[in-house]
Amino acid sequence: MDKKAKQRIFELVDYYEGRALNNDDGNLEYYCQGRCDAMLEVLVALDLVNEYIDWQLD
């Protein structure tokens, strides 16, 4: 997978994870958590979970 594509996926997962954790609106929190979960499944399917964790730690 292209490095820019991986970067974009990681940024989106991080964005939705952050929005889900830091939101007072229950509906938006639920939506963001759903998006985050779906994107994490993509990371699992593409075998990118470890790279994502490393990216978060950098």
Side-chain angles (χ1 to χ4, degrees), residues 7-29:
Q7 176 73 19
R8 184 67 181 139
I9 290 172
F10 294 167
E11 289 170 354
L12 285 170
V13 176
D14 195 55
Y15 170 78
Y16 283 115
E17 185 176 48
R19 291 286 309 265
L21 292 173
N22 297 311
N23 204 301
D24 294 333
D25 181 340
N27 290 331
L28 188 56
E29 178 184 353

PDB file of all heavy atoms in Angstrom, residues 7-29:
ATOM      1  N   GLN A   7      -0.868   6.718   5.562  1.00  0.00           N
ATOM      2  CA  GLN A   7      -0.864   7.904   6.422  1.00  0.00           C
ATOM      3  C   GLN A   7      -2.277   8.454   6.570  1.00  0.00           C
ATOM      4  O   GLN A   7      -2.714   8.795   7.656  1.00  0.00           O
ATOM      5  CB  GLN A   7       0.081   8.958   5.833  1.00  0.00           C
ATOM      6  CG  GLN A   7       0.104  10.265   6.569  1.00  0.00           C
ATOM      7  CD  GLN A   7       0.829  10.205   7.896  1.00  0.00           C
ATOM      8  OE1 GLN A   7       1.616   9.302   8.149  1.00  0.00           O
ATOM      9  NE2 GLN A   7       0.562  11.153   8.755  1.00  0.00           N
ATOM     10  N   ARG A   8      -3.008   8.524   5.457  1.00  0.00           N
ATOM     11  CA  ARG A   8      -4.366   9.069   5.478  1.00  0.00           C
ATOM     12  C   ARG A   8      -5.300   8.189   6.299  1.00  0.00           C
ATOM     13  O   ARG A   8      -6.107   8.698   7.087  1.00  0.00           O
ATOM     14  CB  ARG A   8      -4.890   9.222   4.045  1.00  0.00           C
ATOM     15  CG  ARG A   8      -6.233   9.866   3.978  1.00  0.00           C
ATOM     16  CD  ARG A   8      -6.176  11.320   4.434  1.00  0.00           C
ATOM     17  NE  ARG A   8      -7.505  11.878   4.378  1.00  0.00           N
ATOM     18  CZ  ARG A   8      -8.021  12.670   5.291  1.00  0.00           C
ATOM     19  NH1 ARG A   8      -7.305  13.046   6.319  1.00  0.00           N
ATOM     20  NH2 ARG A   8      -9.232  13.123   5.190  1.00  0.00           N
ATOM     21  N   ILE A   9      -5.189   6.883   6.142  1.00  0.00           N
ATOM     22  CA  ILE A   9      -6.013   5.956   6.938  1.00  0.00           C
ATOM     23  C   ILE A   9      -5.706   6.133   8.417  1.00  0.00           C
ATOM     24  O   ILE A   9      -6.616   6.218   9.243  1.00  0.00           O
ATOM     25  CB  ILE A   9      -5.791   4.496   6.508  1.00  0.00           C
ATOM     26  CG1 ILE A   9      -6.379   4.250   5.115  1.00  0.00           C
ATOM     27  CG2 ILE A   9      -6.422   3.533   7.507  1.00  0.00           C
ATOM     28  CD1 ILE A   9      -6.043   2.898   4.540  1.00  0.00           C
ATOM     29  N   PHE A  10      -4.431   6.187   8.760  1.00  0.00           N
ATOM     30  CA  PHE A  10      -4.045   6.356  10.160  1.00  0.00           C
ATOM     31  C   PHE A  10      -4.600   7.664  10.719  1.00  0.00           C
ATOM     32  O   PHE A  10      -5.097   7.695  11.844  1.00  0.00           O
ATOM     33  CB  PHE A  10      -2.526   6.338  10.307  1.00  0.00           C
ATOM     34  CG  PHE A  10      -1.872   5.020   9.981  1.00  0.00           C
ATOM     35  CD1 PHE A  10      -0.514   4.940   9.811  1.00  0.00           C
ATOM     36  CD2 PHE A  10      -2.615   3.858   9.850  1.00  0.00           C
ATOM     37  CE1 PHE A  10       0.107   3.741   9.520  1.00  0.00           C
ATOM     38  CE2 PHE A  10      -2.003   2.644   9.556  1.00  0.00           C
ATOM     39  CZ  PHE A  10      -0.635   2.596   9.392  1.00  0.00           C
ATOM     40  N   GLU A  11      -4.516   8.730   9.948  1.00  0.00           N
ATOM     41  CA  GLU A  11      -5.022  10.022  10.402  1.00  0.00           C
ATOM     42  C   GLU A  11      -6.529   9.981  10.624  1.00  0.00           C
ATOM     43  O   GLU A  11      -7.034  10.545  11.598  1.00  0.00           O
ATOM     44  CB  GLU A  11      -4.679  11.110   9.386  1.00  0.00           C
ATOM     45  CG  GLU A  11      -3.208  11.463   9.353  1.00  0.00           C
ATOM     46  CD  GLU A  11      -2.835  12.366   8.190  1.00  0.00           C
ATOM     47  OE1 GLU A  11      -3.688  12.643   7.318  1.00  0.00           O
ATOM     48  OE2 GLU A  11      -1.660  12.789   8.147  1.00  0.00           O
ATOM     49  N   LEU A  12      -7.258   9.308   9.733  1.00  0.00           N
ATOM     50  CA  LEU A  12      -8.711   9.214   9.877  1.00  0.00           C
ATOM     51  C   LEU A  12      -9.103   8.395  11.104  1.00  0.00           C
ATOM     52  O   LEU A  12     -10.008   8.781  11.847  1.00  0.00           O
ATOM     53  CB  LEU A  12      -9.332   8.615   8.617  1.00  0.00           C
ATOM     54  CG  LEU A  12      -9.412   9.549   7.420  1.00  0.00           C
ATOM     55  CD1 LEU A  12      -9.825   8.782   6.175  1.00  0.00           C
ATOM     56  CD2 LEU A  12     -10.377  10.686   7.693  1.00  0.00           C
ATOM     57  N   VAL A  13      -8.439   7.281  11.307  1.00  0.00           N
ATOM     58  CA  VAL A  13      -8.740   6.469  12.491  1.00  0.00           C
ATOM     59  C   VAL A  13      -8.467   7.274  13.750  1.00  0.00           C
ATOM     60  O   VAL A  13      -9.278   7.310  14.676  1.00  0.00           O
ATOM     61  CB  VAL A  13      -7.930   5.153  12.507  1.00  0.00           C
ATOM     62  CG1 VAL A  13      -8.170   4.378  13.789  1.00  0.00           C
ATOM     63  CG2 VAL A  13      -8.277   4.283  11.302  1.00  0.00           C
ATOM     64  N   ASP A  14      -7.339   7.953  13.776  1.00  0.00           N
ATOM     65  CA  ASP A  14      -6.968   8.767  14.925  1.00  0.00           C
ATOM     66  C   ASP A  14      -7.981   9.883  15.155  1.00  0.00           C
ATOM     67  O   ASP A  14      -8.379  10.166  16.287  1.00  0.00           O
ATOM     68  CB  ASP A  14      -5.568   9.342  14.698  1.00  0.00           C
ATOM     69  CG  ASP A  14      -4.946   9.892  15.956  1.00  0.00           C
ATOM     70  OD1 ASP A  14      -4.857   9.151  16.949  1.00  0.00           O
ATOM     71  OD2 ASP A  14      -4.538  11.071  15.945  1.00  0.00           O
ATOM     72  N   TYR A  15      -8.429  10.511  14.084  1.00  0.00           N
ATOM     73  CA  TYR A  15      -9.410  11.590  14.176  1.00  0.00           C
ATOM     74  C   TYR A  15     -10.716  11.089  14.786  1.00  0.00           C
ATOM     75  O   TYR A  15     -11.234  11.682  15.744  1.00  0.00           O
ATOM     76  CB  TYR A  15      -9.666  12.175  12.787  1.00  0.00           C
ATOM     77  CG  TYR A  15     -10.835  13.121  12.733  1.00  0.00           C
ATOM     78  CD1 TYR A  15     -10.706  14.423  13.192  1.00  0.00           C
ATOM     79  CD2 TYR A  15     -12.068  12.711  12.234  1.00  0.00           C
ATOM     80  CE1 TYR A  15     -11.778  15.306  13.147  1.00  0.00           C
ATOM     81  CE2 TYR A  15     -13.142  13.580  12.189  1.00  0.00           C
ATOM     82  CZ  TYR A  15     -12.998  14.873  12.647  1.00  0.00           C
ATOM     83  OH  TYR A  15     -14.056  15.726  12.606  1.00  0.00           O
ATOM     84  N   TYR A  16     -11.259  10.005  14.237  1.00  0.00           N
ATOM     85  CA  TYR A  16     -12.538   9.502  14.745  1.00  0.00           C
ATOM     86  C   TYR A  16     -12.416   8.938  16.156  1.00  0.00           C
ATOM     87  O   TYR A  16     -13.329   9.072  16.964  1.00  0.00           O
ATOM     88  CB  TYR A  16     -13.131   8.466  13.790  1.00  0.00           C
ATOM     89  CG  TYR A  16     -13.762   9.096  12.590  1.00  0.00           C
ATOM     90  CD1 TYR A  16     -13.258   8.896  11.320  1.00  0.00           C
ATOM     91  CD2 TYR A  16     -14.866   9.934  12.722  1.00  0.00           C
ATOM     92  CE1 TYR A  16     -13.832   9.496  10.210  1.00  0.00           C
ATOM     93  CE2 TYR A  16     -15.443  10.552  11.625  1.00  0.00           C
ATOM     94  CZ  TYR A  16     -14.928  10.321  10.380  1.00  0.00           C
ATOM     95  OH  TYR A  16     -15.500  10.929   9.297  1.00  0.00           O
ATOM     96  N   GLU A  17     -11.278   8.351  16.464  1.00  0.00           N
ATOM     97  CA  GLU A  17     -11.060   7.858  17.827  1.00  0.00           C
ATOM     98  C   GLU A  17     -11.060   9.024  18.808  1.00  0.00           C
ATOM     99  O   GLU A  17     -11.699   8.972  19.861  1.00  0.00           O
ATOM    100  CB  GLU A  17      -9.736   7.098  17.891  1.00  0.00           C
ATOM    101  CG  GLU A  17      -9.454   6.439  19.217  1.00  0.00           C
ATOM    102  CD  GLU A  17      -8.173   5.631  19.180  1.00  0.00           C
ATOM    103  OE1 GLU A  17      -7.144   6.150  18.702  1.00  0.00           O
ATOM    104  OE2 GLU A  17      -8.214   4.483  19.635  1.00  0.00           O
ATOM    105  N   GLY A  18     -10.369  10.083  18.453  1.00  0.00           N
ATOM    106  CA  GLY A  18     -10.324  11.261  19.309  1.00  0.00           C
ATOM    107  C   GLY A  18     -11.682  11.915  19.466  1.00  0.00           C
ATOM    108  O   GLY A  18     -12.075  12.318  20.558  1.00  0.00           O
ATOM    109  N   ARG A  19     -12.429  12.009  18.362  1.00  0.00           N
ATOM    110  CA  ARG A  19     -13.772  12.602  18.424  1.00  0.00           C
ATOM    111  C   ARG A  19     -14.701  11.759  19.285  1.00  0.00           C
ATOM    112  O   ARG A  19     -15.524  12.286  20.018  1.00  0.00           O
ATOM    113  CB  ARG A  19     -14.378  12.733  17.020  1.00  0.00           C
ATOM    114  CG  ARG A  19     -13.757  13.732  16.110  1.00  0.00           C
ATOM    115  CD  ARG A  19     -14.076  15.179  16.416  1.00  0.00           C
ATOM    116  NE  ARG A  19     -15.460  15.512  16.565  1.00  0.00           N
ATOM    117  CZ  ARG A  19     -16.263  15.997  15.635  1.00  0.00           C
ATOM    118  NH1 ARG A  19     -15.797  16.188  14.415  1.00  0.00           N
ATOM    119  NH2 ARG A  19     -17.512  16.295  15.893  1.00  0.00           N
ATOM    120  N   ALA A  20     -14.582  10.445  19.191  1.00  0.00           N
ATOM    121  CA  ALA A  20     -15.447   9.565  19.985  1.00  0.00           C
ATOM    122  C   ALA A  20     -15.141   9.700  21.472  1.00  0.00           C
ATOM    123  O   ALA A  20     -16.049   9.688  22.309  1.00  0.00           O
ATOM    124  CB  ALA A  20     -15.278   8.117  19.539  1.00  0.00           C
ATOM    125  N   LEU A  21     -13.881   9.858  21.798  1.00  0.00           N
ATOM    126  CA  LEU A  21     -13.486   9.938  23.206  1.00  0.00           C
ATOM    127  C   LEU A  21     -13.756  11.304  23.832  1.00  0.00           C
ATOM    128  O   LEU A  21     -13.915  11.400  25.043  1.00  0.00           O
ATOM    129  CB  LEU A  21     -11.992   9.606  23.345  1.00  0.00           C
ATOM    130  CG  LEU A  21     -11.596   8.172  23.038  1.00  0.00           C
ATOM    131  CD1 LEU A  21     -10.076   8.031  23.052  1.00  0.00           C
ATOM    132  CD2 LEU A  21     -12.232   7.203  24.023  1.00  0.00           C
ATOM    133  N   ASN A  22     -13.799  12.342  23.010  1.00  0.00           N
ATOM    134  CA  ASN A  22     -13.883  13.703  23.545  1.00  0.00           C
ATOM    135  C   ASN A  22     -15.136  14.440  23.119  1.00  0.00           C
ATOM    136  O   ASN A  22     -15.091  15.642  22.888  1.00  0.00           O
ATOM    137  CB  ASN A  22     -12.650  14.506  23.092  1.00  0.00           C
ATOM    138  CG  ASN A  22     -11.372  13.939  23.626  1.00  0.00           C
ATOM    139  OD1 ASN A  22     -11.272  13.670  24.814  1.00  0.00           O
ATOM    140  ND2 ASN A  22     -10.400  13.733  22.754  1.00  0.00           N
ATOM    141  N   ASN A  23     -16.248  13.741  23.048  1.00  0.00           N
ATOM    142  CA  ASN A  23     -17.458  14.389  22.574  1.00  0.00           C
ATOM    143  C   ASN A  23     -18.562  14.300  23.608  1.00  0.00           C
ATOM    144  O   ASN A  23     -18.780  13.253  24.204  1.00  0.00           O
ATOM    145  CB  ASN A  23     -17.912  13.723  21.273  1.00  0.00           C
ATOM    146  CG  ASN A  23     -18.744  14.643  20.465  1.00  0.00           C
ATOM    147  OD1 ASN A  23     -19.774  15.098  20.922  1.00  0.00           O
ATOM    148  ND2 ASN A  23     -18.292  14.936  19.263  1.00  0.00           N
ATOM    149  N   ASP A  24     -19.257  15.404  23.805  1.00  0.00           N
ATOM    150  CA  ASP A  24     -20.365  15.443  24.762  1.00  0.00           C
ATOM    151  C   ASP A  24     -21.698  15.046  24.129  1.00  0.00           C
ATOM    152  O   ASP A  24     -22.636  14.701  24.827  1.00  0.00           O
ATOM    153  CB  ASP A  24     -20.499  16.844  25.360  1.00  0.00           C
ATOM    154  CG  ASP A  24     -19.303  17.208  26.217  1.00  0.00           C
ATOM    155  OD1 ASP A  24     -18.664  16.289  26.762  1.00  0.00           O
ATOM    156  OD2 ASP A  24     -19.013  18.413  26.341  1.00  0.00           O
ATOM    157  N   ASP A  25     -21.778  15.114  22.810  1.00  0.00           N
ATOM    158  CA  ASP A  25     -22.998  14.754  22.088  1.00  0.00           C
ATOM    159  C   ASP A  25     -23.029  13.236  21.903  1.00  0.00           C
ATOM    160  O   ASP A  25     -22.216  12.680  21.175  1.00  0.00           O
ATOM    161  CB  ASP A  25     -23.019  15.470  20.741  1.00  0.00           C
ATOM    162  CG  ASP A  25     -24.263  15.174  19.917  1.00  0.00           C
ATOM    163  OD1 ASP A  25     -24.936  14.159  20.180  1.00  0.00           O
ATOM    164  OD2 ASP A  25     -24.547  15.950  18.998  1.00  0.00           O
ATOM    165  N   GLY A  26     -23.958  12.573  22.553  1.00  0.00           N
ATOM    166  CA  GLY A  26     -24.033  11.115  22.514  1.00  0.00           C
ATOM    167  C   GLY A  26     -24.191  10.554  21.121  1.00  0.00           C
ATOM    168  O   GLY A  26     -23.584   9.531  20.784  1.00  0.00           O
ATOM    169  N   ASN A  27     -25.010  11.218  20.305  1.00  0.00           N
ATOM    170  CA  ASN A  27     -25.200  10.731  18.937  1.00  0.00           C
ATOM    171  C   ASN A  27     -23.925  10.828  18.113  1.00  0.00           C
ATOM    172  O   ASN A  27     -23.574   9.911  17.382  1.00  0.00           O
ATOM    173  CB  ASN A  27     -26.321  11.506  18.240  1.00  0.00           C
ATOM    174  CG  ASN A  27     -27.681  11.181  18.813  1.00  0.00           C
ATOM    175  OD1 ASN A  27     -27.910  10.082  19.317  1.00  0.00           O
ATOM    176  ND2 ASN A  27     -28.588  12.137  18.754  1.00  0.00           N
ATOM    177  N   LEU A  28     -23.237  11.969  18.241  1.00  0.00           N
ATOM    178  CA  LEU A  28     -21.991  12.140  17.500  1.00  0.00           C
ATOM    179  C   LEU A  28     -20.915  11.194  18.025  1.00  0.00           C
ATOM    180  O   LEU A  28     -20.138  10.630  17.252  1.00  0.00           O
ATOM    181  CB  LEU A  28     -21.531  13.594  17.579  1.00  0.00           C
ATOM    182  CG  LEU A  28     -20.343  13.967  16.704  1.00  0.00           C
ATOM    183  CD1 LEU A  28     -20.606  13.645  15.236  1.00  0.00           C
ATOM    184  CD2 LEU A  28     -20.010  15.442  16.863  1.00  0.00           C
ATOM    185  N   GLU A  29     -20.887  10.999  19.320  1.00  0.00           N
ATOM    186  CA  GLU A  29     -19.935  10.066  19.904  1.00  0.00           C
ATOM    187  C   GLU A  29     -20.163   8.657  19.348  1.00  0.00           C
ATOM    188  O   GLU A  29     -19.226   7.963  18.965  1.00  0.00           O
ATOM    189  CB  GLU A  29     -20.069  10.052  21.421  1.00  0.00           C
ATOM    190  CG  GLU A  29     -19.147   9.070  22.101  1.00  0.00           C
ATOM    191  CD  GLU A  29     -19.361   9.009  23.611  1.00  0.00           C
ATOM    192  OE1 GLU A  29     -20.132   9.822  24.140  1.00  0.00           O
ATOM    193  OE2 GLU A  29     -18.759   8.137  24.238  1.00  0.00           O
TER     194      GLU A  29
END
